[in-house]
Amino acid sequence: MPHDDVRDASALKAEYAVNLGKIDRGDPRVPPHYANPALFFATTYPTEDLIRLLDDVMAGLARTRKVDRVLQLRTPFGGGKSHSLLALYHLARSEKKTIAPAGAAVDRGYADEAGVKVVVWGPAGERASERQSQFPDPGPVRVAVLPCADLTPGVPRRVDGLSISTLWGELAYRLGGAEAYREVEAIDGRGSAPGGELIERLLRDPKGRPTLLLADEVLVYVEKALALPVGESNLGRQTLTFLQALTEAVAHGDEAVFVYSLQASVAEAVGDEGLLGTLDKLVGRVDARRVPVRDAEVREIVRSRLFKTLGAPKDRERVAAAYADLYRAQRKASAETKGDLARVEEEAKAFREDVLRSYPFHPDLLRLMYERWGSLPSYQRTRGALQFLGSVVHALFAKSHGGALIAPGDVPLDDSDVRSEFFRQIGEREKWDSVLDADVASGRARAGRVDRQIGESSPALAQAHVGTTVARAITLFSFGARKDELSGVTREDLVRACLTPSVEAPTLESALSALRENLLYLHAGGGRFRMDTIPSLTKLVEEAVAAVDPDDVVRQIQATLEAMLKGASSALLWPAEPGRVPDGRREF
């Protein structure tokens, strides 16, 4: 069962991008699963690095052990940086430092005198899938958010009768209100960075509370600030100076912890390689880099965020066993030795476990997105997977999809929302729209011819739309590639990705052969199949045939015969009517 915001047609389209600034200022338009701590943690998969991040920051704030007090979150675009900052935000601000599991009352506690516990139930909502971690309790925490992407250098933010122009002005106000801002008001107006002593005073809370500083998309702010002159300098350089002083003050004291995010690559750094390197080196002496999401954890994150429940364990086991049996039967057909059979058995067992870990998604769908699409510059890793698969789940739920798994061939590329998300992740919509319409995903798509051809032998196969299923799978496999591998998909991998209890391997092989004869943009070579924007031989032949006028053909034949039979007095060329044929002439 998907979460409400994924399945309900009346709900706003599910959002997977966290805006920390909006949450901090209480924007009512923020979705509840981000704004409400209990809902947030109920849909958040606790990765190992997220748990370690929460534990280290809480320990730093509680002063229970020595930790890195300046932490940099560095992941690819859409890789969990903002989500991790929001987890810290909710945990630090929670009065009881307790997060209830999904379905439980918010005030149902899991804290004890030993410290803070965050309990996160798995998507199935069962206690067996519980992930529990206990952290040191720092007590009340002063939290200050610097929403760098929301701030506009050169346009002061007006609040409480103040006009705040810089990051250090924002920091002072967010730590101590108007009174603290007065300490930096003069230099905030001039755009000149404060020194370390002033920053240290700001970090000391009169009430003795520890301070958590959270900054998202720091590099974006600095990039914009570089365009504003400040005396002989500019606001960007002054901001870098401030960040250096801030990180040193935090690292050498025990009052605060500073966690901030940076993009992972030059391409994401607005193309400014020098700025990314400068900012990296500026804090490189005192920070510790963290990667909140590892590749292997993406499937768990996706399942937790998209599904409220995964159904009964016995049903998941039955599905995994059925698909493993299908795979085993397919591979055994080509096994020749006992060693081959033994390998097939091990592969089938591994495939069964893979299905269980990916359910209700087919493991090949998640694998191709991360291993293949991950090589594309437009793909957003974790966020991209959530956006694309969220639209897929919504569309299939609305259509009452009856498959046991959501496989590559099930992705409804004819759905407008799914297609939009697909092109947002892989790019190149202008080139590919016509390809999908012609071959894969429209009422006139040529894959439909193969559906009807295969379906003539069986009503069940007619319902399975085998041609369209295989064509969709080939399309998804056509983007990106594994390292040191050609694009496209092998016959073996394609069949495995499309096998179901109602569609066996020979049927898929027949559909693939028919697709090769019918599709205009399907290419086969090097043992791999792929869709491309370049026409295939089928397309070229059909275009050549369509370009020929039948009357031109007749005229060409007539001219050829006239040239060949020129001077043959007994030949009668192209008589206009039967009566002109001299039936009584023997020589004819």
Side-chain angles (χ1 to χ4, degrees), residues 252-321:
H252 297 146
D254 66 352
E255 299 93 354
V257 174
F258 179 34
V259 187
Y260 68 101
S261 71
L262 278 183
Q263 292 91 335
S265 68
V266 174
E268 298 171 58
V270 206
D272 196 327
E273 180 178 2
L275 177 57
L276 178 62
T278 299
L279 190 55
D280 212 18
K281 292 178 182 177
L282 187 66
V283 295
R285 292 173 292 115
V286 293
D287 74 336
R289 292 167 180 78
R290 300 296 179 87
V291 180
V293 178
R294 305 287 174 177
D295 290 4
E297 295 172 315
V298 171
R299 69 176 74 193
E300 295 295 349
I301 294 169
V302 169
R303 296 200 308 173
S304 296
R305 175 60 187 87
L306 297 182
F307 292 97
K308 179 182 293 186
T309 170
L310 294 180
K314 61 181 177 62
D315 292 327
R316 302 198 296 269
E317 290 281 354
R318 190 165 69 245
V319 169

Side-chain angles (χ1 to χ4, degrees), residues 17-346:
V18 178
N19 187 308
L20 190 60
K22 288 183 178 180
I23 294 169
D24 185 49
R25 62 177 180 265
D27 190 324
R29 294 169 295 182
V30 173
H33 55 268
Y34 288 133
N36 183 295
L39 291 177
F40 172 79
F41 278 100
T43 57
T44 293
Y45 177 75
T47 68
E48 295 297 331
D49 285 290
L50 178 59
I51 292 296
R52 187 165 70 95
L53 176 68
L54 294 174
D55 186 61
D56 286 349
V57 171
M58 290 300 114
L61 294 173
R63 304 182 181 92
T64 58
R65 70 173 187 270
K66 184 176 177 60
V67 296
D68 292 307
R69 292 186 168 274
V70 180
L71 299 171
Q72 179 194 103
L73 303 182
R74 191 79 176 269
T75 69
F77 185 43
K81 299 183 293 289
S82 299
H83 201 92
S84 299
L85 291 174
L86 184 55
L88 288 167
Y89 177 87
H90 280 317
L91 184 58
R93 285 171 55 91
S94 176
E95 182 178 348
K96 293 183 178 181
K97 298 295 187 298
T98 301
I99 304 301
V106 174
D107 61 356
R108 178 179 163 191
Y110 288 88
D112 57 24
E113 295 181 359
V116 180
K117 289 183 179 179
V118 176
V119 181
V120 184
W121 259 243
E126 301 163 353
R127 208 168 163 82
S129 59
E130 174 185 331
R131 292 288 302 275
Q132 179 172 301
S133 296
Q134 181 172 318
F135 309 126
D137 188 354
V141 177
R142 185 173 58 157
V143 181
V145 172
L146 297 177
C148 297
D150 293 348
L151 301 174
T152 305
V155 180
R157 189 172 73 93
R158 304 190 184 282
V159 57
D160 290 347
L162 307 174
S163 181
I164 305 175
S165 303
T166 65
L167 273 189
W168 46 97
E170 291 286 350
L171 177 66
Y173 177 76
R174 291 165 188 266
L175 286 176
E179 182 180 349
Y181 175 75
R182 300 298 179 193
E183 292 199 50
V184 301
E185 185 171 16
I187 58 174
D188 178 67
R190 293 196 303 268
S192 55
E197 185 177 346
L198 176 54
I199 293 175
E200 289 173 5
R201 287 206 305 272
L202 292 174
L203 293 177
R204 285 194 289 271
D205 180 35
K207 298 180 181 179
R209 294 170 298 178
T211 298
L212 176 61
L213 307 178
L214 303 173
D216 203 4
E217 306 293 356
V218 172
L219 190 140
V220 173
Y221 180 91
V222 177
E223 170 72 21
K224 292 184 288 188
L226 286 171
L228 295 177
V230 174
E232 296 184 359
S233 179
N234 60 62
L235 185 59
R237 290 175 59 186
Q238 292 297 311
T239 302
L240 290 173
T241 301
F242 160 67
L243 291 171
Q244 180 180 17
L246 175 62
T247 54
E248 290 181 352
V250 171
H252 297 146
D254 66 352
E255 299 93 354
V257 174
F258 179 34
V259 187
Y260 68 101
S261 71
L262 278 183
Q263 292 91 335
S265 68
V266 174
E268 298 171 58
V270 206
D272 196 327
E273 180 178 2
L275 177 57
L276 178 62
T278 299
L279 190 55
D280 212 18
K281 292 178 182 177
L282 187 66
V283 295
R285 292 173 292 115
V286 293
D287 74 336
R289 292 167 180 78
R290 300 296 179 87
V291 180
V293 178
R294 305 287 174 177
D295 290 4
E297 295 172 315
V298 171
R299 69 176 74 193
E300 295 295 349
I301 294 169
V302 169
R303 296 200 308 173
S304 296
R305 175 60 187 87
L306 297 182
F307 292 97
K308 179 182 293 186
T309 170
L310 294 180
K314 61 181 177 62
D315 292 327
R316 302 198 296 269
E317 290 281 354
R318 190 165 69 245
V319 169
Y323 275 80
D325 288 344
L326 288 171
Y327 179 73
R328 183 183 291 107
Q330 176 209 355
R331 297 284 285 117
K332 274 186 175 180
S334 58
E336 298 179 352
T337 67
K338 289 184 177 180
D340 291 340
L341 291 172
R343 279 191 295 274
V344 167
E345 192 59 38
E346 290 301 314

